[in-house]
Amino acid sequence: MGRPPKTGLDYFFCDVGWMADSKFRRLKLRYGILAPYVYQIVLTLIYGNKGYYVEAGCMEELCFDILDFLQGKNMPDAETIAALVEDFTQCGLFDRELYERERILTSRRVQREFYNSTAKRSHVQVDKRYWLLSVAEMKAISLRSHILSQFVSDGTNGVSDGRNRVSDGKSTQRRQDKIREEKTREDQSRADKTRENTAETAADDGVMMTDETMTDETNELRFAFREAFGRPPEESFVREMQECLREGMTVSDIRHDIERAADRHPSHPEAYVRTILRASAQRVQGNAAFEPLADWERDWLRGLGLPEPEAE
């Protein structure tokens, strides 16, 4: 009897700029370095097992699988991991509707990687309830995949049966229009909430935070970063500095952290400044003592070639 066909992947491709994805902005401000680290762990669980999804029906069990990778001093608790996984779906890193309906963690990006990596396998099956890619998307990647033949043979267009089993262009267009409309409403709601929080903070401090004020402060921080590192900052990092301002940090605080980072000459300035900002944010929020990095955080910084920031 031959071996059963392989399901998962031995390795997966990682974009160089994946950490600059705007979807990580709020997650990194809320969870710090834990957010991208746990995201990579979830991808490892997905690609290493089923290959294109992982079941999250029992969140406690999934959290324990994730915590196996985080053993060590200052290890986060299961509740924090569960909240972070939920936030992954809310910000769009994993498909929100499929998670809420089936308790499945997957995404179009994950499935494109799986489809491309298994295109040459002679036997590979997928559960059509969890599949997000259309026939057109699969054909654009590869015409040789056995996955594609599953959908072509039964006349479906290759997207999740529970919501997207359509066979004509008009239905696809309606679905895309609805997704765009929902995303627009969500973005507007988040923007309104941010403006409300900013106004409340400014009122408490006796300061009126106008768009002009924010622009002036942002330009000042851009200039400070350019002076420190000889190039302008990435726009995703500029938005994170703006978020720090809204959270209560001052321009002087952020400039000081940029200068501290410049003294260490890091190869990835944005990543290193983010780490220092996280410690500064703790002090702003009332945690006067500098919280040491956990072992897994130090390992992650070493992997990026970055020194560990020191408490002042």
Side-chain angles (χ1 to χ4, degrees):
M1 181 181 295
R3 290 187 303 178
K6 184 177 179 61
T7 55
L9 305 180
D10 294 323
Y11 63 90
F12 60 93
F13 178 78
C14 183
D15 293 320
V16 172
W18 70 273
M19 282 192 61
D21 192 322
S22 61
K23 295 174 182 176
F24 274 113
R25 182 178 59 179
R26 289 186 179 276
L27 292 176
K28 286 186 286 189
L29 288 171
R30 181 178 300 173
Y31 297 98
I33 202 172
L34 187 65
Y37 195 83
V38 171
Y39 177 68
Q40 287 292 91
I41 291 174
V42 175
L43 290 183
T44 300
L45 293 173
I46 289 174
Y47 289 126
N49 293 281
K50 300 291 186 180
Y52 62 99
Y53 76 89
V54 67
E55 296 177 354
C58 180
M59 181 59 73
E60 183 179 17
E61 184 175 330
L62 177 62
C63 289
F64 286 152
D65 289 340
I66 293 172
L67 287 170
D68 280 343
F69 291 83
L70 299 174
Q71 295 292 331
K73 187 179 179 182
N74 299 324
M75 185 176 68
D77 55 35
E79 289 76 14
T80 299
I81 299 300
L84 180 52
V85 171
E86 290 277 353
D87 283 346
F88 284 156
T89 67
Q90 297 301 311
C91 72
L93 286 167
F94 296 109
D95 189 86
R96 178 177 176 178
E97 187 174 343
L98 192 54
Y99 172 75
E100 292 177 349
R101 191 182 75 235
E102 303 284 354
R103 290 301 177 189
I104 292 295
L105 290 177
T106 188
S107 68
R108 304 178 76 84
R109 179 184 296 179
V110 165
Q111 294 188 9
R112 282 194 294 268
E113 175 67 16
F114 177 74
Y115 182 88
N116 186 53
S117 298
T118 60
K120 295 182 180 179
R121 291 187 187 176
S122 57
H123 297 286
V124 56
Q125 298 286 329
V126 298
D127 191 324
K128 294 179 182 179
R129 294 174 299 167
Y130 309 149
W131 195 249
L132 300 171
L133 302 183
S134 67
V135 166
E137 289 175 295
M138 289 186 279
K139 285 182 177 179
I141 299 172
S142 174
L143 296 173
R144 300 176 55 185
S145 174
H146 186 69
I147 298 175
L148 177 61
S149 65
Q150 290 179 244
F151 293 94
V152 173
S153 62
D154 65 8
T156 58
N157 82 329
V159 290
S160 175
D161 292 354
R163 56 174 175 166
N164 294 324
R165 191 140 188 171
V166 294
S167 58
D168 58 78
K170 292 182 180 179
S171 297
T172 301
Q173 184 62 46
R174 284 197 298 270
R175 179 177 62 82
Q176 292 173 345
D177 290 343
K178 182 178 179 181
I179 292 173
R180 281 194 293 268
E181 183 180 345
E182 291 176 351
K183 186 177 186 302
T184 300
R185 285 200 298 267
E186 290 175 1
D187 291 344
Q188 184 62 46
S189 176
R190 284 194 293 268
D192 291 342
K193 186 174 182 180
T194 297
R195 283 194 292 270
E196 290 172 4
N197 291 339
T198 301
E200 290 173 1
T201 301
D204 291 341
D205 296 339
V207 177
M208 188 62 183
M209 183 68 74
T210 64
D211 291 341
E212 183 178 355
T213 302
M214 181 63 76
T215 299
D216 291 342
E217 292 180 339
T218 300
N219 288 336
E220 182 178 346
L221 292 175
R222 279 198 179 98
F223 181 77
F225 190 96
R226 182 192 288 271
E227 273 198 327
F229 300 107
R231 64 169 176 81
E234 298 172 355
E235 282 306 305
S236 61
F237 181 67
V238 172
R239 291 191 292 271
E240 291 182 28
M241 290 193 293
Q242 290 176 325
E243 197 67 32
C244 288
L245 291 172
R246 295 189 181 97
E247 293 291 332
M249 295 186 69
T250 66
V251 172
S252 178
D253 292 334
I254 300 176
R255 284 183 64 103
H256 179 58
D257 287 344
I258 290 173
E259 292 166 1
R260 287 180 62 201
D263 291 340
R264 305 301 295 270
H265 306 289
S267 57
H268 299 77
E270 285 88 353
Y272 193 61
V273 175
R274 284 188 190 103
T275 305
I276 297 179
L277 285 175
R278 180 173 64 85
S280 296
Q282 291 174 349
R283 289 191 291 273
V284 168
Q285 294 168 4
N287 299 328
F290 177 80
E291 182 180 339
L293 296 181
D295 292 342
W296 62 264
E297 292 177 305
R298 295 192 182 94
D299 292 342
W300 186 82
L301 283 175
R302 283 196 291 269
L304 289 177
L306 300 175
E308 179 181 342
E310 300 174 351
E312 292 185 306

